[in-house]
Amino acid sequence: MDKFVVRGGNPLLGTVRISGAKNAALPAMAAAILTEEPVILENIPQVRDIETERRLLSAMGAEVELGYGRAQHRTIICCRHLSRPEAGYDLVKTMRASTLVLGPLVARTGSARVSIPGGCAIGARPIDLHIKGLERLGATIRQEHGYIEARAERLKGNSITFDRITVTGTEDILMAAVLAEGETVMENCAREPEVVDLAALLVKMGADLEGAGTSTIRVRGVDRLHGARHRIIPDRIEAATFIIAGALTGGDLLVTNLVPAHQTALLAKLEQAGARFHVNGESIRVMGDNPLRAADIATEEYPGFATDVQAQYMALATQAEGTSIITENIFENRFMHALELVRMGANIKIEGNRAVVRGKSPLSGAVVLASDLRASASLVLAALVADGETIIDRVYHIDRGYEHLEEKLRAIGAQIRRIGEMLPRRAGA
Ligand code: EPU
């Protein structure tokens, strides 16, 4: 297993370009299931979850061509033949977003068999709302041997109100509804930019829908969809991670190729915390020349403060003067990074879904363990301001969702390198 070795102390200076959004690319790839024609996706990030989805679609019989050379961020997916409409345990256990194929598979082929994902480092994360939504569209669902089997001759439009806001649940049901017979009205939908991006792709494929980005989405089902070409939106979580890194390290960083409107909640908080910004077109310059002050955050669905940025913000809060209260409202167990930050010298107390961070604490390098994607990013950020060397173990979590993180950080002045695990020598070898 690879590790990162980070030596702290350097401010981040220069320009960093944001990649395509993993969480928009994954549903877009699943949407290709809805048509026999090729779907061309651009700005696909080169991260491990994308490779997992490629394997998932290939195992069903899809042709998936990942670009190389100058076209390295382009993917062409053709789901003409889907001989095995199934998502097996081996892939689902490594990536929960595999369940995004459930809706499109039933809609297109009339049947789907998808392994039920187990628990996760950040919470229980059930998929009951995906299942309820499909049942409302007329699918028959059976659960046995750890799998969900969904069947329907043809899905039928209906009204669906999500009991709570779910991002991939909204995407899954939206993909099912576009090929259902008649009208579907979805209420209490997720309003995340990734849902809007998926809807934009579906419209290019011939879907008839409106309201994506609001809590009510109306869909008039069509008989078939066709191929399309679509460019994935920039990754707002990667962008937020670099913006925080710039402010935290006292740097002067230009973060380019992002959508500033996606950063509204973060920028408001960072401004309160004393960082300075300059927004210009598709870039944000962050200047960390002021001392940081404590500011409370509470995670919410979009457009609120993203749960996927909570861990990175906590690293910053350890370096802010005063007490920051961080409330996690989306997932029940998303504070694993706090314990590792404490090992580096942070003063953090967990009280239920609140973390009380008292700053400013000097951090010192230590060996720390990454528990999930965003927790790992938080540890990298802390390491950038820690005294001495930090070794971050299990960086495969980072590789799932950050494209070339260490190269990007090195280019703006960070001292970070990747080391592979030394294999033990065999006796006598
Ligand atoms: N929930 C249910 N039942 C369901 C679905 C969700 O109770 O059927 C609950 C979840 O347990 C959670 C809450 O609803 O407490 C919200 O979960 P949601 O379904 O919105 O999460 P998700 O769709 O599984 C996506 C992102 C996550 C991100 C969350 C929240 C993708 C592929 N994943 O997950 O991203 O944290 O939305 O914004 O889009 C990451 O990138 O690191 C990541 C974890």
Side-chain angles (χ1 to χ4, degrees), residues 138-149:
T140 313
I141 308 277
R142 259 197 5 203
Q143 292 190 38
E144 55 185 22
H145 308 302
Y147 277 77
I148 293 168
E149 281 186 33

Side-chain angles (χ1 to χ4, degrees), residues 339-399:
L339 304 172
E340 298 300 293
L341 291 173
V342 167
R343 295 188 51 248
M344 295 176 72
N347 180 345
I348 306 172
K349 297 263 173 323
I350 305 293
E351 300 169 354
N353 71 335
R354 291 179 355 146
V356 181
V357 185
R358 292 199 170 81
K360 168 182 182 176
S361 311
L363 300 182
S364 62
V367 179
V368 289
L369 203 63
S371 53
D372 76 86
L373 174 57
R374 310 304 171 186
S376 325
S378 148
L379 298 177
V380 171
L381 296 190
L384 292 176
V385 290
D387 180 43
E389 202 168 77
T390 300
I391 299 179
I392 300 162
D393 203 350
R394 299 200 184 159
V395 298
Y396 60 82
H397 289 297
I398 294 228
D399 296 335

Side-chain angles (χ1 to χ4, degrees), residues 63 72-73 88 95 106 124 127 157 182 195 211 220 231 234 251 311 344-345 385:
E63 292 163 38
Q72 58 184 334
H73 292 105
M95 187 179 74
V106 202
I127 56 161
V195 174
R220 278 166 296 271
R231 187 171 175 82
M344 295 176 72
V385 290

Side-chain angles (χ1 to χ4, degrees), residues 116-128:
I116 303 169
C120 169
I122 62 176
R125 302 183 77 183
I127 56 161
D128 55 312

Side-chain angles (χ1 to χ4, degrees), residues 22-23 125-129 164 166-168 308 330 374:
K22 163 188 81 93
N23 288 351
R125 302 183 77 183
I127 56 161
D128 55 312
L129 302 175
R164 68 176 288 180
T166 158
V167 178
T168 51
D308 286 346
I330 307 295
R374 310 304 171 186

Side-chain angles (χ1 to χ4, degrees), residues 22-24 26-27 96-97 100 122-131 164-169 171 190 192 194 236-237 300-301 306-308 329-332 334 372-374:
K22 163 188 81 93
N23 288 351
L26 294 174
R96 308 178 57 85
L100 278 167
I122 62 176
R125 302 183 77 183
I127 56 161
D128 55 312
L129 302 175
H130 301 231
I131 295 170
R164 68 176 288 180
I165 297 174
T166 158
V167 178
T168 51
E171 293 163 348
E192 267 66 3
E194 293 75 19
R236 66 193 166 97
I237 309 300
E300 284 168 30
E301 293 88 0
T307 173
D308 286 346
N329 291 315
I330 307 295
F331 292 110
E332 61 274 24
R334 207 172 196 180
D372 76 86
L373 174 57
R374 310 304 171 186

